[in-house]
Amino acid sequence: MVTKSEEEQLNRLEAQVDNAGGGAWEYLCLVRKLKVRRPDKVLKHGLAILNDSKKRSALGTEEWTLCEQVAVAAMDCQSLDVAKDCIKVLRKRFPDSKRVGRLEGMLLEAKGLWAEAEKAYSSFLEDNPFDQVIHKRRVALAKAQGNITTAIECLNKYLDTFMADHDAWRELAEIYVSLQMYKQAAFCYEELILSQPTNPLHHLAYADVLYTIGGLENLQAAKKYYASTINLTGGKNRRALFGVCLCTSAIGQLSKGRNKEDKDSPELQSLAVAALEKDYKQRAPGKLPLLTSALKSLRVSS
Amino acid sequence: MAEDLVLDTAIRDWVLIPLSVVMVLIGVLRYFVSKLMRSAQIPDAKLVKEGQVIVRARNLRAAANFIPPKSFRARRLYYSNEENGLLYVPKGQAPNAQAQMFSDPNMAMDMMKKNLSMIIPQTLTFAWVNFFFSGFVAAKIPFPLTQRFRAMLQNGIDLSTVDVSYVSSRSWYFLNLFGLRGLFSIILGEENATDDTQRMMQMTGFGFDPTKSLGAEKDGLDIVQHDWTMPKFERRAEAVLRKLVR
């Protein structure tokens, strides 16, 4: 996760570099450290450094790190020639490095030579079955080919060993959601909430999945998780506010005619409506009628 | 008490400086030798998995109250049931670290390599220092010290009358042995420093048994009282929104 101050720093540096104010290397280092994806900028400024022999030699051994970074960025931008050149330079410097081999596999992937990339990755995994990056590349490869079931298989195999890797759990959850396998997705989101209990995005996604599954019990749970998202974001998350409204109306419909014994938070939805109206009034007054009509159709606008 | 021992400049030129230089050179040499002998280690599949299981179970224990009771119960069963739970270690199957070490020749080999690259040069240099430079007063530190430092600074000189601020050659050897770490990290790069003290720590910590922590984690999980916090969050969310709307 990139914190707000880090993002500000990154954007400031980026503006400075874009206006030829120097600090390109610092910018690239920061991009690498935060693991953000800005391939166009990295390619432009990284290549400028690599082509300048004086700046390049001033980097010392960091030169190779930059080469790798630029190669990956170039693949992202489909400038395969640049990537190829970078990888060639690296291969010459490190003749039997696995890290360079990984880059070569990625280049094959970028070219769309799936079978060859797959072969390269499998041979790496034979050498070292615990290379997490290669495992993830294989999942990406399957996904790129549209082989969702293979991707799920690979991810499950990976998670069987590396079960504390929450990024992999999130990927799996998103794949399951895309396939409408909500029960499985819910399990993944539970796992994510366990590993990062204070991340509101996981609570929100879990609530979405529970709401989609439906049923009284799930709807009530979904409402609770929307509430916890509101709690964790300080009420700034609109999706969670809408979610509370939707859940309340759905619960109301389902439990119509029954005794209403569990009214633990009767005010929550009216408060959510009020918060939404206030927010829309402030930011998008033109859309306020839309909001009121939408909420009225839910019959929650009390 | 001899107030001012005058140290011959030849001692500086032929004892103090050569000793330091040799120590640095040996350190660098040892680094390269151990780099040559180091075999690429592939971690044991079971160990990797057990480590991850422990992390995941710990997460479950810490954040149990954030997931619905049903999900929690399912997970607890998955971890700690007596048939094939992830945390369950059958009795008598817990491998003895000692036995494991002897049954796996690779492991013993690695240990030996590590030890050889550490012990052999150390004994050799120590013998060399002892033979050629025993009994020298090699240096004087510019501030006075208490008697307690005598054992550290005047190893090899059994005179109680010499001021403690004088350093004997053998002590100079020891100071170099343990004090050159910073210099190595500059010469050989940050993480490559040959760090004897740390290695010794590793040696003593050897024999860590992951199955024990698996059992401990299982016990911890078994006594967790699940109390879903979400209903509380609803009320708290109300308070948040009320503040926001106002």
Side-chain angles (χ1 to χ4, degrees):
Chain A
M1 287 280 283
V2 181
T3 62
K4 208 170 173 186
S5 62
E6 279 168 341
E7 196 188 344
E8 265 167 29
Q9 192 192 357
L10 184 72
N11 288 336
R12 208 176 51 235
L13 253 176
E14 188 173 279
Q16 185 193 334
V17 174
D18 278 342
N19 299 322
W25 173 243
E26 286 75 26
Y27 171 68
L28 292 171
C29 282
L30 195 63
V31 168
R32 207 162 50 223
K33 196 180 123 209
L34 300 181
K35 291 186 183 147
V36 290
R37 196 168 183 178
R38 312 220 165 154
D40 49 334
K41 309 272 182 204
V42 169
L43 182 58
K44 190 175 152 208
H45 302 305
L47 211 55
I49 293 182
L50 282 182
N51 286 335
D52 189 334
S53 60
K54 211 166 74 191
K55 272 189 203 158
R56 185 174 176 154
S57 55
L59 290 181
T61 49
E62 295 285 331
E63 179 189 345
W64 312 113
T65 324
L66 180 63
C67 241
E68 186 186 21
Q69 193 183 8
V70 170
V72 174
M75 281 184 252
D76 250 352
C77 297
Q78 275 294 311
S79 357
L80 296 182
D81 292 336
V82 177
K84 207 164 148 191
D85 290 343
C86 284
I87 294 172
K88 211 186 275 169
V89 172
L90 283 171
R91 181 49 89 191
K92 213 163 149 198
R93 175 71 178 76
F94 307 100
D96 40 34
S97 152
K98 283 201 182 115
R99 202 158 146 186
V100 180
R102 202 188 291 154
L103 280 177
E104 282 169 347
M106 281 164 79
L107 185 66
L108 289 174
E109 253 187 273
K111 282 179 183 160
L113 302 169
W114 308 124
E116 280 155 64
E118 175 69 39
K119 215 193 296 168
Y121 289 147
S122 324
S123 77
F124 283 134
L125 281 185
E126 255 165 46
D127 285 349
N128 179 9
F130 299 105
D131 195 329
Q132 304 194 21
V133 180
I134 298 284
H135 275 288
K136 289 181 181 178
R137 288 308 327 160
R138 281 187 73 191
V139 175
L141 188 66
K143 240 183 125 182
Q145 286 171 281
N147 253 339
I148 302 294
T149 41
T150 321
I152 290 179
E153 234 168 69
C154 286
L155 259 178
N156 274 327
K157 214 175 99 202
Y158 170 77
L159 279 172
D160 190 46
T161 316
F162 300 97
M163 49 177 74
D165 184 343
H166 48 83
D167 288 323
W169 281 110
R170 192 171 61 201
E171 181 66 35
L172 188 61
E174 278 162 14
I175 291 177
Y176 277 138
V177 167
S178 76
L179 291 179
Q180 305 186 347
M181 297 162 80
Y182 297 117
K183 285 239 168 65
Q184 287 85 340
F187 181 88
C188 297
Y189 280 120
E190 276 163 13
E191 207 54 52
L192 278 167
I193 290 173
L194 284 177
S195 63
Q196 298 173 319
T198 52
N199 188 339
L201 293 175
H202 300 328
H203 288 249
L204 186 63
Y206 184 50
D208 283 347
V209 170
L210 284 180
Y211 176 78
T212 316
I213 294 174
L216 190 57
E217 200 181 322
N218 284 330
L219 283 171
Q220 274 162 348
K223 192 175 157 204
K224 290 187 171 67
Y225 278 95
Y226 280 126
S228 86
T229 313
I230 290 174
N231 207 7
L232 290 168
T233 54
K236 298 252 164 50
N237 192 315
R238 247 139 278 148
R239 194 181 172 90
L241 293 174
F242 275 119
V244 165
C245 298
L246 280 171
C247 282
T248 317
S249 94
I251 292 171
Q253 268 171 14
L254 274 180
S255 61
K256 203 178 283 172
R258 286 185 218 168
N259 55 339
K260 298 189 173 169
E261 83 273 27
D262 44 26
K263 270 281 180 191
D264 15 61
S265 53
E267 267 188 274
L268 187 59
Q269 54 102 0
S270 57
L271 279 168
V273 169
L276 272 173
E277 275 168 354
K278 190 182 170 199
D279 202 31
Y280 270 73
K281 233 177 257 171
Q282 264 175 6
R283 288 167 201 265
K287 287 182 183 160
L288 196 57
L290 277 177
L291 174 77
T292 29
S293 66
L295 290 177
K296 206 166 275 163
S297 73
L298 288 175
R299 278 177 292 138
V300 293
S301 189
S302 47
Chain B
M1 194 164 152
E3 263 312 312
D4 273 333
L5 271 181
V6 180
L7 297 184
D8 196 341
T9 48
I11 290 183
R12 181 193 62 201
D13 293 347
W14 292 101
V15 178
L16 194 68
I17 295 173
L19 205 57
S20 311
V21 171
V22 165
M23 289 304 293
V24 171
L25 286 182
I26 284 177
V28 173
L29 192 75
R30 212 168 65 198
Y31 163 69
F32 283 111
V33 169
S34 66
K35 201 173 159 189
L36 271 183
M37 292 209 293
R38 198 185 306 151
S39 52
Q41 266 191 346
I42 291 181
D44 184 25
K46 205 165 148 248
L47 282 184
V48 172
K49 192 171 170 181
E50 274 173 1
Q52 297 267 326
V53 167
I54 287 172
V55 172
R56 195 171 159 205
R58 201 167 288 157
N59 281 340
L60 175 63
R61 198 154 49 99
N65 296 342
F66 284 90
I67 60 171
K70 219 158 95 188
S71 313
F72 174 74
R73 280 199 300 272
R75 276 184 174 71
R76 175 149 75 183
L77 198 67
Y78 177 57
Y79 284 124
S80 59
N81 72 54
E82 304 261 308
E83 269 168 45
N84 53 358
L86 286 178
L87 290 175
Y88 180 67
V89 187
K91 277 205 185 86
Q93 207 180 309
N96 191 343
Q98 212 81 32
Q100 200 185 5
M101 194 175 85
F102 287 115
S103 65
D104 183 1
N106 250 335
M107 209 155 151
M109 194 69 190
D110 273 350
M111 287 276 292
M112 211 153 87
K113 274 183 192 166
K114 247 189 232 161
N115 284 0
L116 282 185
S117 73
M118 187 164 94
I119 288 171
I120 289 185
Q122 260 177 29
T123 32
L124 284 183
T125 40
F126 185 71
W128 174 73
V129 168
N130 241 355
F131 188 74
F132 284 101
F133 304 120
S134 61
F136 273 106
V137 174
K140 179 180 191 295
I141 43 177
F143 43 84
L145 283 170
T146 53
Q147 290 294 326
R148 294 253 168 181
F149 285 90
R150 189 177 291 281
M152 181 177 125
L153 291 179
Q154 291 186 352
N155 202 324
I157 307 176
D158 295 328
L159 288 176
S160 53
T161 47
V162 186
D163 195 77
V164 184
S165 57
Y166 288 97
V167 183
S168 77
S169 57
R170 202 194 287 173
S171 296
W172 182 246
Y173 160 77
F174 279 119
L175 288 181
N176 274 323
L177 185 67
F178 292 109
L180 280 177
R181 188 176 158 226
L183 194 66
F184 284 136
S185 72
I186 293 173
I187 303 174
L188 304 171
E190 207 50 62
E191 65 274 19
N192 300 334
T194 50
D195 189 353
D196 288 319
T197 37
Q198 219 161 54
R199 247 188 222 170
M200 281 176 194
M201 297 267 279
Q202 273 172 10
M203 292 270 295
T204 51
F206 186 79
F208 160 76
D209 189 1
T211 47
K212 249 181 219 150
S213 49
L214 278 185
E217 207 52 56
K218 178 177 178 292
D219 292 345
L221 205 57
D222 279 340
I223 58 169
V224 167
Q225 294 278 338
H226 188 263
D227 173 28
W228 201 23
T229 51
M230 286 304 141
K232 256 181 266 161
F233 270 37
E234 257 181 318
R235 240 154 288 140
R236 236 187 277 170
E238 267 180 42
V240 167
L241 285 181
R242 214 169 279 146
K243 214 183 274 171
L244 195 76
V245 172
R246 201 168 289 149

